[in-house]
Amino acid sequence: MSTTAELLKGAAELFPGEVVTTAEVRHLELPGGAGRFALITMDNGFDHTKPTTFGPQSLANLDAAIDQVEKEAAAGQIVGAGVTGKPFIFAVGADLKGVELLKRHEDALAIGQGGHAVFKRLASLAVPTFAYYNGAAMGGGVEVGLHCTYRTVSSAVPAFSLPEVFLGLVPGWGGCTLLPNLIGADRAVTVIIENSLNQNRQLKGAQVRELGIADALFEAADFLEQSLAWTASVLRGETEVVRAEVDRGEAWDQAVARGRFIADGKVHGAAPAAYRALDIIEAARNGDLRQGFDAEDHALADLIMGGELRSGIYAFNLVQKRGKRPAGAPDKALARPVTKVGVVGAGLMASQLALLFARRLEVPVVLTDIDQQRVDKGVGYVHGEIDKLLAKGRVGQDKANRLKALVTGHLDKATAFGDADFVIEAVFEEMGVKQQVFAELEAVVRPDTVLATNTSSLSVTEMAAKLEHPERVVGFHFFNPVAVLPLLEIVRGEGTDEASLATAFAVAKKLKKTAVLVKDAPAFVVNRILTRFMGEIQNVIDEGTPVAVAEKAVEPLGLPMSPLVLLELVGPAIGLHVSETLHGAFPDRFTVSENLAAVVKAGKRGFYVYDSGKPELDPEVAALLKQGDSVLTEEQVRARVLDAVAEEIGLMLQEDVVAEAQDIDLCLITGAGWPFHLGGITPYLDREGVSQRVNGKPFLAPGLASVPE
């Protein structure tokens, strides 16, 4: 059996690029004469923008600090020991850059064993140990504190989580075993499973205390001072820490069953991490820590060597890195300042855009429409949403007043937009209407005003073709709901100049959107792929496959909703319009379903009714459907759908619609809620062998979203 030092030394050799965290031990006298105390501070030497992580050398440094503290405790030189972090950061867990490099199961196993070997020493010291969660704590950062005897948390902690399941791992350094034994299985399932699978939902400091993870909550201003005073009172016996008794009976079974229900609803059995975590939580009921830690080690190693984690890390890197440095974006120095924004239209989409521009840019925003009633309704919507933010405490009264004052409406475009720097249209999705709007705008705006279109599928080049200055027209395609989905497809028309494009990217950044540069091709990225995907589902239904079979066929992808529920969200009329646009461009691959057209003509909002609380095929829709007699199995449907998507993505990359396959995945993750555990779509198509079968080669290089060869 290797020693901890040998394990970590071997791991460190595999990861030469680690950002190393130090673990400095300092001593202080606790207040009230409570005694000498050893405080370990974890710090990687950077400010809060580069959070502290645990790679192998960092764990070795913490191990060495515990060596020192252990000797002092055994010699009676200290009464307790604590762990805290640098300003604003406690620690955010394992360094995933190192995990990406691992190629062998035994090396992955060593990562789990190394973390456990170091952290569990905190629980076996001869004196009580304390974790002071002073800032952001995630993953291994949370877990190092769980090994301590007591914990305090700052009220200002903005993010506290065990996000491993979100990425395709399990909390493998004690989280799955210790947390349910501390706060009960149900609360542990909320933190480990439910929050992770809800887009990595974070806890705030007060919630950490309410859940019972921390024993005390203190204000940020003097957090460490208050924590040390509380520590002294605990050690002197003046403060007794009382924790709720953990129910190890039926409640434990119910909690695990709830976790499985949540996992089934989110990933449909398509991703193993949640289920492995639940198995460990289920077994942790007996409180056998050694057995639990061993199960965590093996689950961690298996998952590190699996495709889900590699896809999860790939997706994380896309969103955190590529999403913030868009491929092909022009020099940001070319961007012009935007001090006033115009929005053409005052319907729901236009009003959502006006609210977003006002909140993020904090510049005047003017809406126009064809009559005063519509203008008033649009402005009223924005003001109403600001009132809701005020009621929820998201903005103060002064801020609410300022934001409302920024958003106005006007019928006359010349008055509204004469001094605007950026005008976006959100009117009816019809080329003639859009061209007319742009012609009217060009007559009243300055020559350098950027004209943006929120079109979801129409040609930006054609829209600008009749203008005197087509170079300032750019596609600026948002996704609904605007406040929730981060993606912004920025479309470069054939005539779009660098300054207009740079301005569009600068505005996107201020809007806090993930901008992806897209070629002016029919339906751009997300709608083109989704329409091919949905079109193939619709085709098999039209040919004779039952609706339920077609829907269930794609469940293994673990999508956030089934295709026909998604169609309901988008709206059948919009789905039909986009399919007609794409059929016009690519008639051999995109069909226009007569059944979908009939559903739209009948005024139906979707295929389902929800009378029982669950989606059931609407009898009126069922009566409209005209189906053939070709019935496919789920496997046959899935193969057809995936083959179609792989073919379409291959063609899009040949056409240079985006720079690389990574941009396709970034678009689907941020614009369509495609699962992180798939890494978008291309890693899944590669892993299932679909890319090779359809295109003769994988989309991604080995090791990019898979185990390195």
Side-chain angles (χ1 to χ4, degrees):
M1 176 70 184
S2 300
T3 65
T4 302
E6 287 168 345
L7 274 176
L8 296 174
K9 186 171 183 291
E13 287 169 1
L14 296 171
F15 184 21
E18 177 184 353
V19 176
V20 177
T21 297
T22 60
E24 182 195 349
V25 182
R26 61 191 174 105
H27 297 91
L28 40 93
E29 292 296 326
L30 290 171
R36 189 167 182 256
F37 188 80
L39 181 64
I40 300 170
T41 302
M42 302 176 292
D43 190 342
N44 63 2
F46 294 90
D47 68 13
H48 66 280
T49 59
K50 194 153 195 171
T52 302
T53 53
F54 296 119
Q57 186 56 55
S58 305
L59 285 172
N61 290 344
L62 182 57
D63 194 46
I66 297 171
D67 273 343
Q68 179 186 337
V69 172
E70 185 178 57
K71 287 171 188 161
E72 292 169 354
Q77 295 169 353
I78 54 173
V79 294
V83 183
T84 194
K86 68 183 183 182
F88 309 110
I89 302 287
F90 183 77
V92 297
D95 191 325
L96 293 176
K97 292 194 294 296
V99 173
E100 285 179 83
L101 301 173
L102 297 175
K103 298 180 184 179
R104 300 185 310 159
H105 192 275
E106 55 263 45
D107 294 331
L109 189 62
I111 289 287
Q113 292 170 336
H116 273 131
V118 176
F119 288 2
K120 70 184 181 184
R121 295 182 67 198
L122 289 166
S124 59
L125 292 179
V127 293
T129 49
F130 298 78
Y132 305 132
Y133 292 121
N134 64 303
M138 298 175 202
V142 169
E143 290 170 301
V144 71
L146 294 178
H147 287 268
C148 294
T149 324
Y150 305 100
R151 286 156 294 282
T152 67
V153 67
S154 165
S155 61
V157 165
F160 185 104
S161 64
L162 289 170
E164 287 84 351
V165 166
F166 175 67
L167 291 171
L169 283 173
V170 298
W173 285 343
C176 288
T177 303
L178 294 173
L179 193 63
N181 280 292
L182 175 67
I183 62 174
D186 194 62
R187 288 178 164 189
V189 163
T190 296
V191 176
I192 294 170
I193 306 296
E194 186 173 13
N195 288 358
S196 283
L197 292 180
N198 276 305
Q199 294 302 308
N200 193 19
R201 185 188 292 154
Q202 300 293 316
L203 298 169
K204 306 277 193 237
Q207 295 169 299
V208 175
R209 174 69 189 96
E210 284 161 24
L211 285 167
I213 300 171
D215 302 303
L217 174 77
F218 299 113
E219 291 299 316
D222 55 355
F223 170 70
L224 189 56
E225 187 182 342
Q226 291 291 331
S227 293
L228 291 169
W230 181 83
T231 298
S233 70
V234 169
L235 292 174
R236 287 199 305 264
E238 294 165 6
T239 296
E240 184 186 359
V241 174
V242 180
R243 296 182 183 136
E245 191 176 338
V246 171
D247 186 334
R248 299 179 186 279
E250 192 180 338
W252 199 286
D253 294 328
Q254 289 172 346
V256 173
R258 183 173 77 89
R260 293 193 192 284
F261 179 77
I262 292 166
D264 287 344
K266 291 289 185 181
V267 300
H268 308 284
Y275 302 98
R276 291 295 292 267
L278 286 162
D279 289 344
I280 301 168
I281 293 170
E282 187 171 30
R285 178 205 307 255
N286 62 15
D288 184 336
L289 299 188
R290 180 181 291 183
Q291 176 190 312
F293 293 168
D294 188 53
E296 288 175 354
D297 287 341
H298 284 90
L300 207 57
D302 291 347
L303 292 166
I304 284 173
M305 299 313 292
E308 181 199 3
L309 170 69
R310 304 304 172 127
S311 294
I313 294 175
Y314 165 80
F316 183 79
N317 287 337
L318 285 182
V319 172
Q320 295 299 319
K321 295 175 185 173
R322 193 177 186 93
K324 289 171 181 167
R325 290 188 286 278
D331 184 348
K332 58 188 177 188
L334 297 171
R336 293 191 285 262
V338 173
T339 59
K340 183 179 177 181
V341 172
V343 181
V344 184
L348 181 58
M349 189 66 176
S351 302
Q352 288 184 67
L353 296 180
L355 176 64
L356 181 71
F357 277 100
R359 286 192 69 195
R360 297 282 186 242
L361 270 62
E362 297 192 17
V363 300
V365 179
V366 188
L367 292 144
T368 65
D369 213 311
I370 56 174
D371 59 53
Q372 192 64 45
Q373 187 180 356
R374 292 182 200 217
V375 170
D376 292 345
K377 187 178 177 184
V379 174
Y381 169 87
V382 177
H383 287 190
E385 291 299 304
I386 293 168
D387 284 336
K388 287 180 191 174
L389 293 170
L390 176 64
K392 290 176 185 170
R394 302 271 299 279
V395 295
Q397 186 66 61
D398 285 351
K399 182 76 175 280
N401 292 343
R402 281 203 311 277
L403 288 175
K404 282 186 185 179
L406 288 172
V407 181
T408 57
H410 211 287
L411 276 179
D412 179 51
K413 289 188 177 71
T415 306
F417 304 143
D419 57 346
D421 305 295
F422 190 97
V423 181
I424 184 166
E425 67 74 24
V427 299
F428 186 66
E429 192 75 347
E430 203 277 312
M431 183 57 76
V433 175
K434 305 267 195 194
Q435 286 180 331
Q436 183 186 338
V437 164
F438 275 162
E440 290 171 4
L441 287 174
E442 187 164 58
V444 299
V445 299
R446 298 193 318 260
D448 62 346
T449 300
V450 174
L451 300 182
T453 170
N454 184 43
T455 182
S456 58
S457 60
L458 300 177
S459 168
V460 175
T461 303
E462 188 181 343
M463 219 175 284
K466 298 177 181 177
L467 298 180
E468 205 174 309
H469 293 287
E471 69 276 2
R472 40 93 158 259
V473 177
V474 63
F476 214 61
H477 179 217
F478 289 86
F479 289 79
N480 217 348
V482 169
V484 176
L485 290 173
L487 179 63
L488 189 49
E489 290 179 337
I490 296 186
V491 187
R492 179 177 209 152
E494 285 177 18
T496 309
D497 66 20
E498 292 284 293
S500 300
L501 199 62
T503 305
F505 273 98
V507 169
K509 188 171 185 180
K510 285 186 178 172
L511 293 175
K512 298 185 178 175
K513 293 294 181 184
T514 300
V516 175
L517 180 62
V518 179
K519 184 180 176 181
D520 187 17
F524 315 127
V525 176
V526 172
N527 284 343
R528 180 163 164 184
I529 292 170
L530 286 185
T531 303
R532 187 77 198 272
F533 175 80
M534 304 278 282
E536 212 54 50
I537 295 279
Q538 191 72 57
N539 287 344
V540 298
I541 292 171
D542 294 353
E543 290 163 17
T545 299
V547 169
V549 174
E551 287 266 82
K552 203 163 186 308
V554 292
E555 274 192 1
L557 273 73
L559 299 173
M561 62 189 75
S562 74
L564 293 184
V565 173
L566 174 64
L567 179 67
E568 198 171 298
L569 184 71
V570 170
I574 292 173
L576 180 65
H577 173 75
V578 177
S579 68
E580 287 169 343
T581 301
L582 282 161
H583 176 68
F586 310 114
D588 55 325
R589 300 194 309 278
F590 288 86
T591 54
V592 178
S593 166
E594 288 183 14
N595 282 325
L596 180 57
V599 168
V600 173
K601 188 177 179 183
K604 288 291 180 182
R605 296 183 60 187
F607 277 62
Y608 293 129
V609 288
Y610 296 85
D611 299 340
S612 65
K614 292 181 188 172
E616 292 174 2
L617 188 62
D618 183 338
E620 293 179 17
V621 170
L624 291 171
L625 295 182
K626 293 177 181 171
Q627 292 183 278
D629 54 9
S630 174
V631 180
L632 302 183
T633 65
E634 287 176 26
E635 290 74 18
Q636 289 170 323
V637 172
R638 187 161 57 251
R640 249 182 78 169
V641 170
L642 293 177
D643 284 6
V645 170
E647 180 190 31
E648 202 59 40
I649 293 171
L651 291 166
M652 289 166 72
L653 293 172
Q654 281 179 30
E655 295 167 24
D656 296 322
V657 174
V658 289
E660 292 180 288
Q662 289 94 310
D663 293 310
I664 300 271
D665 293 318
L666 182 59
C667 285
L668 286 174
I669 291 164
T670 56
W674 217 270
F676 247 66
H677 67 261
L678 294 185
I681 183 64
T682 67
Y684 178 81
L685 294 171
D686 285 356
R687 206 159 58 237
E688 296 295 310
V690 181
S691 321
Q692 189 71 41
R693 183 172 72 239
V694 174
N695 300 320
K697 61 180 180 181
F699 287 114
L700 301 173
L704 194 56
S706 55
V707 177
E709 293 177 353

